[in-house]
Amino acid sequence: MIGKLNHVAIVVPDLAAATALYRDTLGATVSAPVDQPAHGVTVVFVELPNTKVELLAPLGDTSPVAKFLITNPTGGIHHICYEVEDILVARNTLQAAGARVLGNGEPKIGAHDKPVLFLHPKDFLGTLVELEQA
Ligand code: CO
């Protein structure tokens, strides 16, 4: 069911420092910071030959990643995103297998303007999994 690894999202306490680390130390191609108010984050996209890393910093007072930084003050991997061909088929298959979909179970438009869902980390080896319709 799952296809390509679309991205790995890392929440960081200092976006400029994290960007410099990936650009200067790791030699990666990085984007300018992009504010995504609808998602409560500012994102820097790290472009790799086969996938992306997204460096996320909280934006606004109600950012969904702010709590993560309290628990993980130096940052950490927040979620991984797999592509699926049909997000509703994927959801129905996973729910039938007993997996929990976060929120109301309906796909939302994600950071790439495509439908996404998040799966409960307790059902997936302690990892928050995002599914994005390719
Ligand atoms: Co994501």
Side-chain angles (χ1 to χ4, degrees):
M1 177 173 27
I2 59 170
K4 288 182 181 171
L5 176 65
N6 185 277
H7 61 273
V8 175
I10 303 177
V11 172
V12 304
D14 181 334
L15 194 55
T19 303
L21 182 68
Y22 267 79
R23 183 189 57 222
D24 303 334
T25 306
L26 292 174
T29 300
V30 302
S31 77
V34 180
D35 286 345
Q36 298 190 322
H39 300 284
V41 292
T42 302
V43 186
V44 167
F45 297 94
V46 179
E47 297 288 344
L48 303 179
N50 61 339
T51 191
K52 290 188 294 288
V53 173
E54 297 183 1
L55 304 174
L56 307 181
L59 176 66
D61 295 336
T62 58
S63 172
V65 301
K67 209 169 89 185
F68 184 90
L69 271 182
I70 294 169
T71 317
N72 306 275
T74 60
I77 293 179
H78 184 263
H79 65 267
I80 57 178
C81 177
Y82 300 118
E83 295 179 7
V84 294
E85 271 183 35
D86 184 321
I87 201 152
L88 294 178
V89 169
R91 178 197 64 189
N92 295 344
T93 303
L94 290 164
Q95 284 181 327
R100 286 168 284 180
V101 174
L102 298 188
N104 64 4
E106 293 306 316
K108 290 186 178 155
I109 296 304
H112 313 121
D113 294 324
K114 293 177 176 176
V116 303
L117 284 173
F118 285 90
L119 306 175
H120 200 299
K122 287 196 172 147
D123 296 336
F124 291 94
L125 311 172
T127 305
L128 179 59
V129 173
E130 180 180 18
L131 299 178
E132 181 176 291
Q133 186 160 290

